[in-house]
Amino acid sequence: MPAHAETIVPPKLRPGDTVRVVAPSRSRTLIMENDNTRWMDERFAAMGLTLTFGEHVDEDDQFRSSSIEHRVADLHAAFADPTVAGIITVIGGFNSNELLPHLDFDLIAANPKVFCGYSDITALQNAILARTGLVTYSGPHWSSWGMRDHFEPTGDWFRAAVTADAPIAVEPSRAWTDDAWYADQDDRTPVPNEGWWSLRPGQASGRIVGGNLCTLNLLQGTANMPSLDGALLFLEDDFESDAAHVARNLTSLLQQPDADGVTGLVVGRFQSSSAVTREALDEIVARQPALRGKPVLAGVDFGHTSPLLTFPVGGTAELAVGPNDAATLTITRH
């Protein structure tokens, strides 16, 4: 981030607050092809939060999105509206980086508020960090809350991150899912969690940078790329990235000029169809000079499986990785 941009932690959400749902990537129309709003509405109401929606969330073009102008307008309106305490994205996609040249970062910095989403939203989150110092939250989309069963601890982790200040001691989930739950809420089989993978021992702390790996890499060479110096990386990728793609994308990231300043790496769980094994990931890590002598932990509950950890992009965390897959991960500032 610019030297003058100090870290800004937004005010926490409280019962009675209003949260604006925006679609900086794909349209709400896509989500409504499988209407799971009953569970979304019930869960936000239980938190005492009122949902409102951006003016253009239902526009739907050939990319299942809307115009750059309208997506920017909805995002600016959400930050500028003093009645809106938090912002959550409809879903991810492929094109949120189109908004970056058009964003009013001064407006965003002047109106700090919770901003949550993941996957393609990584581009916006890390650009906001780089340009303003504002902490945002990699966590569930609005659509994520429509999962009827096996949703927790996703909601618990979200509340811990955006409604409270206490440090968050992250623990592995008991089970996880990787399925098209939004289309079929009944035919689901949770997988027992084997726990985290301790790939490299050591201790580290630092400012969290990351989210979706291939999306973060879209920012390279621009003013929207946050500094990696002092960064504790949190990285994940989806089913489209097999081991070879993960390797080349991680290599690209860790060849950035300030990558030697990375303090450690936390890797989210890969989807089953990516076929990224522990052995493959261990070899990928071994080939990275910037990670030598630094702790690496994998199989953590974030990415494109469920449950989904909410972590602060621009916040801080501490990582300790020991032998026999013993590890601790604590989010210290969020």
Side-chain angles (χ1 to χ4, degrees):
M1 71 183 75
H4 65 275
E6 298 181 358
T7 301
I8 305 169
V9 178
K12 300 301 183 185
L13 296 180
R14 298 179 177 180
D17 281 344
T18 294
V19 173
R20 177 70 52 81
V21 182
V22 297
S25 196
R26 287 182 293 183
S27 168
R28 183 171 68 167
T29 305
L30 174 69
I31 304 307
M32 295 308 295
E33 291 175 0
N34 298 283
D35 186 356
N36 296 302
T37 52
R38 169 188 168 185
W39 294 283
M40 302 173 198
D41 293 345
E42 287 178 357
R43 289 189 170 114
F44 280 99
M47 290 186 286
L49 300 176
T50 298
L51 293 178
T52 60
F53 293 83
E55 180 181 355
H56 305 288
V57 295
D58 290 322
E59 293 181 9
D60 192 20
D61 62 17
Q62 64 176 322
F63 298 105
R64 302 309 309 267
S65 186
S66 65
S67 71
I68 294 171
E69 178 185 6
H70 285 172
R71 284 180 282 148
V72 169
D74 279 1
L75 195 58
H76 282 168
F79 273 103
D81 189 337
T83 70
V84 171
I87 306 165
I88 190 167
T89 54
V90 166
I91 195 172
F94 308 95
N95 59 356
S96 73
N97 64 325
E98 293 176 339
L99 311 187
L100 297 178
H102 311 283
L103 291 182
D104 185 340
F105 288 104
D106 290 336
L107 170 70
I108 293 171
N111 297 278
K113 54 191 68 177
V114 167
F115 176 57
C116 187
Y118 74 104
S119 191
D120 189 53
I121 310 305
T122 296
L124 298 177
Q125 292 165 325
N126 286 274
I128 288 171
L129 173 62
R131 301 291 290 274
T132 73
L134 176 63
V135 171
T136 60
Y137 299 88
S138 180
H141 299 301
W142 167 76
S143 54
S144 306
W145 295 79
M147 184 183 295
R148 185 188 69 195
D149 305 318
H150 316 301
F151 177 71
E152 297 297 355
T154 296
D156 292 333
W157 285 331
F158 175 83
R159 286 182 286 271
V162 306
T163 71
D165 294 309
I168 302 169
V170 182
E171 299 285 347
S173 63
R174 295 182 178 181
W176 56 278
T177 59
D178 180 17
D179 51 29
W181 62 267
Y182 46 87
D184 187 345
Q185 296 270 21
D186 296 318
D187 185 16
R188 305 189 62 207
T189 304
V191 179
N193 192 2
E194 65 180 36
W196 293 338
W197 300 345
S198 297
L199 299 184
R200 295 293 183 277
Q203 297 184 355
S205 62
R207 184 187 68 258
I208 298 173
V209 172
N212 183 255
L213 171 59
C214 63
T215 304
L216 177 63
N217 278 356
L218 299 176
L219 304 180
Q220 292 182 22
T222 76
N224 300 311
M225 181 71 188
S227 173
L228 299 182
D229 189 22
L232 180 56
L233 294 175
F234 279 50
L235 300 174
E236 58 86 15
D237 231 324
D238 66 10
F239 72 96
E240 294 182 328
S241 293
D242 58 16
H245 284 89
V246 172
R248 76 191 308 216
N249 279 314
L250 183 62
T251 297
S252 177
L253 180 64
L254 293 178
Q255 287 178 353
Q256 293 299 291
D258 55 358
D260 284 342
V262 167
T263 65
L265 171 61
V266 180
V267 182
R269 181 185 295 106
F270 289 94
Q271 291 184 273
S272 300
S273 56
S274 72
V276 177
T277 64
R278 179 171 182 160
E279 292 72 25
L281 191 57
D282 187 70
E283 176 64 22
I284 291 167
V285 168
R287 296 184 181 189
Q288 307 301 326
L291 294 178
R292 288 175 186 161
K294 299 172 183 179
V296 179
L297 182 69
V300 180
D301 291 292
F302 66 92
H304 286 71
T305 63
S306 183
L308 180 64
L309 175 70
T310 298
F311 63 84
V313 177
T316 58
E318 296 177 351
L319 172 66
V321 181
N324 302 317
D325 288 336
T328 60
L329 176 62
T330 305
I331 297 171
T332 51
R333 187 183 187 195
H334 54 90

